[in-house]
Amino acid sequence: MIVNAKMGANSGVTTGGKLFLETVLKNVKKATELANIPTDIYEFLKLPKRVIVVSIPIRDRDGNVTNYIGYRVQHNNALGPYKGGIRYYPTVDLDEITALAMLMTYKCAALSLPFGGAKGGVACNPKSLSQEEIEKITRRYTYMISDLIGPYIDIPAPDIYTDARVMAWIMDTYSQLKGRQVPEVVTGKPVYLGGCEGREEATGFGVCITTREACRVCGIPLKGARIAIQGFGNVGTHTALHLANLGAKIVAVSDSKGSIYNKEGFNVEKLVAHKKNTGTVLGFPSAIQISEKELLQLDVDVLIPAAIEGVITKEVAEKIQAKIITEGANGPTTSEGSAVLQERGIFVVPDILANAGGVTASYFEWIQNLQREHWPRDKVLKMLEEKMVKAFNDVVETTRRMELGMRDAVMVLSVSRVALAVQTLGIWP
Ligand code: GLU
């Protein structure tokens, strides 16, 4: 592993994701206890099967070399090939990517997808990089992990600050190395390059569907429901568009530059156009600026954290006024935060259920690529909705049968599915 001094605080195997990893492991352990799963299985699942750390030296516009660090963590593949996104983010570290890889294992199991779990990341700040630099990073990273990914081995996808274009570069690099077109090695590609119709909006669509179901269970009419969304990237944007379509009022949103509020609700399409034109939600007409803290604590029906992990801490959880929280982001709630929410009776749609629309559409993309098929958007969204609603109902049924909160229930279901596969397969060699 080569670490260049230039990488500063974000270099190497740091421990910024330590708390996140601890939270995920605690949830898994609790699920094994609740489901009476032998401790051997927890022992097996507490570590990823394989960790890949690579250096990514890039010559920038000025001719200087910067050496980035890239990770791919393959947690478990008992139920199918490893599956999970790749994020480009300055604070990416091994613990964070490991935690996210574990969440992917249980997310795929929660939706009964024939996949295991993996995650990748490169510690870099795409906002300060040119397209050429991002392409170089992507291609070098793909080259470095190319022997350990593949359509039946490990299938990457987008995550924070990676998009369809980055997926196209991954596909092309892998295909060039193999000497043939292999679209099925990666999902989330542009539609005209083998991508799935609806994949880009799929995570947000799934967050919308699970929010709708949560409102039904809680007896809150979605029409007119007041919703605050933290994060206005891919997930937040599409969540807002779909929820507004169903008549909900999006009263607050935020991005990395700040948060805005309008108690009457935004015209979401205009807000999306404003963000596209100006690079931020700030400055949107008829909105007042509030702090992120205020956004999280607003008097709303539904709060949707759709940015990054660890934002709902104990202190934040104590002041949340929302009746429902739908976790669009991965790991937005800490262990302590989670305990407070449960104590206060706030209905939580946990991340591995709420944001599973993305990987479910990825599964549809993979099937289409393997069969060289192309399905229409309506079909994709219909199949996606059916899968999400079924998974949601299974979890609610488990909360009633076992008297658990939503997070414990989804973990019990998914950890049990993975544990059964691991137990049946045994340890070999
Ligand atoms: N990055 C997304 C997630 O966290 C999608 C993963 C995928 O499609 O494989 O679920």
Side-chain angles (χ1 to χ4, degrees), residues 336-351:
E336 294 77 23
S338 210
V340 172
L341 296 180
Q342 180 146 1
E343 216 177 85
R344 295 188 53 215
I346 295 173
F347 189 93
V348 175
V349 188
D351 50 4

Side-chain angles (χ1 to χ4, degrees), residues 347-404:
F347 189 93
V348 175
V349 188
D351 50 4
I352 61 169
L353 176 61
N355 71 33
V359 71
T360 304
S362 279
Y363 166 56
F364 298 153
E365 182 168 330
W366 183 67
I367 295 176
Q368 290 170 74
N369 291 160
L370 289 170
Q371 302 175 347
R372 296 297 185 262
E373 276 196 30
H374 191 81
W375 304 344
R377 175 176 177 263
D378 285 1
K379 172 173 170 162
V380 171
L381 295 189
K382 186 164 175 283
M383 287 172 69
L384 182 52
E385 180 171 349
E386 274 170 21
K387 271 198 166 297
M388 298 289 299
V389 171
K390 160 127 190 20
F392 183 94
N393 288 336
D394 286 350
V395 177
V396 170
E397 192 273 322
T398 308
T399 62
R400 292 180 183 150
R401 183 168 42 83
M402 294 183 68
E403 292 180 13
L404 299 173

Side-chain angles (χ1 to χ4, degrees), residues 25-26 43 46 60 66 120 151 160-161 174 197 222 230 233 238 249 251 272 289 318 330-332 415:
L25 285 172
K26 252 190 224 169
E43 206 50 35
K46 76 176 190 192
D60 66 20
T66 305
I160 296 178
Y161 295 153
Y174 186 86
E197 303 277 355
L222 183 58
Q230 184 217 20
H238 290 291
K249 268 203 246 175
V251 296
V272 172
Q289 195 172 338
E318 276 162 358
N330 287 312
V415 174

Side-chain angles (χ1 to χ4, degrees), residues 72 83-87 100 104 107-108 115 118-119 155-160 162 187-188 199 203 328 330 355-363:
R72 184 74 184 166
K83 184 88 193 79
I86 294 170
R87 69 171 54 172
L100 290 163
M104 285 310 302
K107 191 184 299 185
C108 292
F115 288 133
K119 198 80 171 198
I155 307 129
D159 199 75
I160 296 178
T162 57
T187 57
R199 171 63 185 86
T203 311
N330 287 312
N355 71 33
V359 71
T360 304
S362 279
Y363 166 56

Side-chain angles (χ1 to χ4, degrees), residues 106-336:
Y106 304 114
K107 191 184 299 185
C108 292
L111 270 284
S112 298
L113 305 177
F115 288 133
K119 198 80 171 198
V122 177
C124 67
N125 181 8
K127 288 191 173 171
S128 65
L129 296 167
S130 66
Q131 282 296 305
E132 288 72 27
E133 287 163 341
I134 295 174
E135 179 177 355
K136 280 188 194 174
I137 290 174
T138 303
R139 289 188 182 275
R140 179 72 182 221
Y141 171 72
T142 308
Y143 167 77
M144 294 299 286
I145 63 167
S146 58
D147 283 341
L148 298 166
I149 59 170
Y152 295 103
I153 303 171
D154 180 358
I155 307 129
D159 199 75
I160 296 178
Y161 295 153
T162 57
D163 55 13
R165 189 154 189 204
V166 170
M167 300 307 119
W169 287 324
I170 294 176
M171 173 182 80
D172 186 59
T173 308
Y174 186 86
S175 298
Q176 302 276 355
L177 288 166
K178 300 293 165 194
R180 66 196 148 84
Q181 273 304 94
V182 194
E184 57 274 25
V185 68
V186 63
T187 57
K189 300 176 292 289
V191 169
Y192 53 88
L193 280 172
C196 176
E197 303 277 355
R199 171 63 185 86
E200 202 164 303
E201 68 194 285
T203 311
F205 179 72
V207 173
C208 166
I209 295 299
T210 53
T211 301
R212 184 192 74 194
E213 294 304 300
C215 284
R216 180 178 56 75
V217 169
C218 296
I220 299 170
L222 183 58
K223 218 173 162 56
R226 294 154 307 146
I227 300 187
I229 304 180
Q230 184 217 20
F232 212 58
N234 172 279
V235 180
T237 309
H238 290 291
T239 298
L241 284 166
H242 280 288
L243 280 170
N245 258 342
L246 296 185
K249 268 203 246 175
I250 311 300
V251 296
V253 298
S254 71
D255 61 23
S256 60
K257 304 210 172 75
S259 314
I260 56 168
Y261 174 68
N262 178 342
K263 73 173 189 333
E264 302 306 327
F266 301 119
N267 177 323
V268 180
E269 274 174 24
K270 284 193 178 147
L271 179 58
V272 172
H274 173 84
K275 163 109 187 169
K276 210 170 164 194
N277 293 336
T278 65
T280 174
V281 295
L282 295 185
F284 186 63
S286 76
I288 57 162
Q289 195 172 338
I290 57 172
S291 71
E292 178 139 282
K293 203 169 144 205
E294 285 171 313
L295 179 139
L296 294 170
Q297 298 171 2
L298 277 175
D299 177 18
V300 288
D301 297 297
V302 185
L303 171 66
I304 304 183
I308 194 94
E309 56 263 15
V311 291
I312 303 184
T313 57
K314 180 170 175 280
E315 294 69 37
V316 173
E318 276 162 358
K319 301 216 178 80
I320 282 176
Q321 297 192 65
K323 300 168 194 86
I324 295 171
I325 298 179
T326 313
E327 296 184 336
N330 287 312
T333 310
T334 65
S335 294
E336 294 77 23

